[in-house]
Amino acid sequence: MHWVETIPETTTGADRPPRRRRGRISSIEVLCGILLIAILGQSQLQSVLDVPALRTGSTVFVAVCVQALPFLVLGVLISGAIAAFVPARVLRRVLPRRESASVPVAGFAGVALAGCECASVPVARRLIGQGAAPAAALTFLLAAPAVNPIVLVATAVAFPGEPGMVLARFLGSLATAMAMGWLWARWGKLEWIAERALRRLPEVQGGDRWKTFAETARADLVDAGGFLVLGALVSAAMGVLVPAHWFGVLGEQVVVGIVVMAVLAVVLSLCSEADAFVAASLAPVPLLPKLVFLVVGPAIDIKLFALQAGTFGRSFALRFAPATFVVAIGCAVAAGLLVLGGVR
């Protein structure tokens, strides 16, 4: 089936984006400035706002940001390098022609090629645009941000006394990606994907590669950094405002805890390089609901739904997102029971 369409590249003066004004402060400088002030001025802020709850909240906020930021920076740098220097056709060439057989290959390719959720969507769109099987592209979309070495190392750092969390997250996330790929290969339809996502994308050429690298890394850092700060704020607020016995209920009511943490992962929309630190900060919550949080978040959340709807079309997102949510919960629970040895 030849359904890939080539679009001629045309560039006119009207199509060119306006040049940025020199000296303009962007959102990334604002984000770094706020984090720097929060880190360096923590003691001064505590003396001005000498309230125990605020001291506790500020400590949690700074700790989450400081722990997660190095992994986030490394992740967006790798994401930018992939966008600029690794053509998607390289992956397409190594994928088997049989759609169902290409799913596991694409899943394990996500282990080697790190990227955040925001970066995996355009990569998957590029794969489809170059003729790769949609099932393989969607498997890569789910696997790359969830099972890459950066995310696994961040999980190990966030849970130093629980090495099983790393293996459980790897197995749960990889199973989610491959299950969704096989489900698409069996029941997916091309008409669910918007026509614009099936068109060939121009390759990055020559001197534009470094520009693409810098712009992709900067954009991903701004997007993911904003969600990191938001997640840290929510984590700090929950640690201060929500009574500890409320989280204790999640341990007593396992099913409720799993559902609550799954919904929380969708709502918070954290970056996969940082979500482990937020989950680890919720000390009273058992490991199994935390694992569900870590598997569901990179698979589907609010920002991913918006990106999928904008890239592949609303018809696709309305079918793919709910199915991913259910499959991710099931795979996370199965991996937790298998690796963690039960509910704890």
Side-chain angles (χ1 to χ4, degrees), residues 44-61:
Q44 289 79 3
L45 290 174
Q46 287 179 350
S47 62
V48 174
L49 304 172
D50 191 12
V51 179
L54 290 176
R55 289 201 302 269
T56 302
S58 64
T59 300
V60 173
F61 171 78

Side-chain angles (χ1 to χ4, degrees), residues 311-333:
T311 303
F312 300 110
R314 185 181 302 177
S315 178
F316 168 85
L318 289 175
R319 292 175 171 86
F320 192 76
T324 303
F325 181 76
V326 174
V327 170
I329 293 176
C331 291
V333 172

Side-chain angles (χ1 to χ4, degrees), residues 91-180:
L91 286 177
R92 182 171 60 87
R93 288 174 180 172
V94 303
L95 293 176
R97 292 187 177 183
R98 186 179 177 184
E99 193 171 23
S100 60
S102 66
V103 168
V105 176
F108 283 101
V111 179
L113 299 179
C116 68
E117 299 92 318
C118 301
S120 64
V121 174
V123 173
R125 183 252 194 267
R126 183 179 293 273
L127 284 170
I128 294 177
Q130 290 184 336
L138 297 176
T139 301
F140 180 83
L141 182 152
L142 296 176
V147 299
N148 66 73
I150 297 175
V151 170
L152 298 179
V153 170
T155 305
V157 173
F159 294 90
E162 296 291 346
M165 283 292 287
V166 180
L167 178 59
R169 181 176 192 178
F170 173 82
L171 294 177
S173 298
L174 185 62
T176 299
M178 293 173 60
M180 288 304 300

Side-chain angles (χ1 to χ4, degrees), residues 279-343:
S281 68
L282 305 176
V285 179
L287 289 181
L288 185 58
K290 287 181 180 179
L291 177 62
V292 172
F293 178 88
L294 297 179
V295 173
V296 171
I300 181 61
D301 56 31
I302 293 176
K303 72 176 185 299
L304 273 176
F305 178 81
L307 285 170
Q308 291 173 7
T311 303
F312 300 110
R314 185 181 302 177
S315 178
F316 168 85
L318 289 175
R319 292 175 171 86
F320 192 76
T324 303
F325 181 76
V326 174
V327 170
I329 293 176
C331 291
V333 172
L337 295 177
L338 175 65
V339 177
L340 301 179
V343 179

